Amino acid sequence: MRDVYQEQLDDLAGALAGMCTQVADAMRKATRALLEVDLQLAEEVISEDIRVDELRASAEEKAFALLALQAPVATDLRIVVSAIHGAGDIERMGDLALHVAQAARRRHPHPVLPDEVVPYFAEMGRVGVDLALKAGDVIRTRDLARAAQLETDDDAMDDLHRHMFTVLMDREWSHGVGPAVDITLLARFYERYADHAVAVARRIVYVVTGRMPGPLTV
Amino acid sequence: MRDVYQEQLDDLAGALAGMCTQVADAMRKATRALLEVDLQLAEEVISEDIRVDELRASAEEKAFALLALQAPVATDLRIVVSAIHGAGDIERMGDLALHVAQAARRRHPHPVLPDEVVPYFAEMGRVGVDLALKAGDVIRTRDLARAAQLETDDDAMDDLHRHMFTVLMDREWSHGVGPAVDITLLARFYERYADHAVAVARRIVYVVTGRMPGPLTV
């Protein structure tokens, strides 16, 4: 019986790590759609978001079944509750990638981004995708050093986010209010995406150590 | 034993409903700070946010204790898991009220909002506070008709949110990029605040009916 139980716990972690890969892929494609003004890629991200929602529902069901049938305690209970939180965070990351793709679609065939901010969004995309993949690794390995790394990567994202405001507020900004509004929201989507990846890693630290390394919510 | 258990479940619901009152109060004050350019009120919201975080940690502990000691199943399990989700949503509402207060503080002694958008934010604040209080009612009463009402109120918030973009994108907009960026983020904070209130109500519908009336995440 215990073996089946352990298998169920591993299965739940595997499902969450798989969701991380999925939303990393979504953000990679959404960023390319944004930067390369690629409508087809944007549509792909938009139509595939339902799969992340399904994966989340399925992960929640697994967690629910574990709670109902195995009544876990101590560390195992922390694992299951953290998985419930994690599934929510990762689904939200998928939604944020979806929002990026929707912005690309909304302005098509025009680019959303003036040329001068393209490199920043390329970098935010890269950091974001990397954070999602690292969160998946942390779920699989429960490696605390790797979990700590996500906090550093998130600082890089915060710097990029702050920098975007400096660019927008600069006297040299010549693109007017419309693109500034789009960029404000897009930069926020990337920043929140990163925050949720960090939240996933923090929950794993909590599973292992019994203590949260930072705020419970992001 | 069953009586203690029922008391614990009621206690958990009471804690969540209390959190709703707290974040409604935070958003009421934050909106006033924003509209009346009131630094002291903004500071109050900022320093009180820690209390919401503590309430959330305490609600999670209650839920955890229930899972570990009572091993609830069926509806009771749904109640506890929904409470874990709800606590997260409501804490996030507190964070969003905090963000509004921080925006008011950042620009003080200057107003964040040009006069012409003040009425919209007054209305977004009113709808937001009302949604938080209604979410608390739904937690207390599990009244499905009341839960459905939150969806309608949220539509009103979405309309206000969309309308802000129309105002910003209008040729008549004379306040430049800086205020537009502030308003874009602020409008998003109110909209997200409302989304989380709706999520809380949806989880209660799920507790009562076993079915979610909308997406699991907002």
Side-chain angles (χ1 to χ4, degrees), chain B residues 4-196:
Chain B
V4 174
Y5 175 41
Q6 202 52 53
E7 236 171 61
Q8 286 177 322
L9 281 173
D10 291 347
D11 186 35
L12 181 57
L16 287 187
M19 282 180 75
C20 285
T21 310
Q22 186 92 8
V23 300
D25 199 43
M27 194 48 125
R28 189 185 296 111
K29 283 189 198 164
T31 304
R32 270 191 55 204
L34 184 71
L35 300 179
E36 298 169 17
V37 196
D38 186 331
L39 182 61
Q40 207 198 314
L41 214 47
E43 296 283 9
E44 233 175 82
V45 175
I46 292 164
S47 64
E48 282 170 6
D49 181 58
I50 184 88
R51 286 189 52 202
V52 179
D53 300 347
E54 286 163 0
L55 288 173
R56 185 249 170 93
S58 151
E60 268 216 19
E61 269 166 40
K62 284 186 214 289
F64 226 84
L66 265 161
L67 289 173
L69 303 176
Q70 308 283 4
V73 294
T75 301
D76 290 348
L77 178 56
R78 284 210 297 269
I79 290 175
V80 178
V81 171
S82 293
I84 291 174
H85 285 294
D89 280 308
I90 304 166
E91 189 196 340
R92 184 74 198 141
M93 291 165 76
D95 290 341
L96 291 161
L98 171 71
H99 289 347
V100 171
Q102 285 168 329
R105 182 171 71 175
R106 194 178 309 123
R107 301 288 174 239
H108 194 86
H110 304 287
V112 185
L113 304 175
D115 287 345
E116 71 223 63
V117 301
V118 162
Y120 299 113
F121 278 91
E123 184 62 6
M124 282 195 272
R126 196 194 61 72
V127 175
V129 169
D130 194 49
L131 274 163
L133 295 175
K134 278 183 182 159
D137 275 348
V138 170
I139 291 168
R140 263 185 293 261
T141 61
R142 293 196 203 147
D143 180 329
L144 297 187
R146 233 178 269 201
Q149 238 195 337
L150 273 90
E151 305 273 350
T152 316
D153 293 354
D154 185 43
D155 290 344
M157 183 66 96
D158 287 343
D159 287 344
L160 284 160
H161 184 232
R162 255 191 303 275
H163 185 72
M164 283 318 309
F165 290 110
T166 317
V167 171
L168 294 177
M169 300 298 189
D170 197 282
R171 275 156 199 273
E172 306 270 302
W173 181 256
S174 60
H175 307 283
V177 168
V181 167
D182 281 343
I183 289 170
T184 300
L185 287 175
L186 281 166
R188 177 127 186 112
F189 297 153
Y190 283 94
E191 190 233 353
R192 295 295 301 154
Y193 183 95
D195 285 344
H196 286 287

Side-chain angles (χ1 to χ4, degrees), chain A residues 135-149:
Chain A
D137 275 349
V138 170
I139 290 168
R140 262 184 293 260
T141 61
R142 293 197 202 148
D143 181 327
L144 296 187
R146 233 178 269 202
Q149 238 194 338

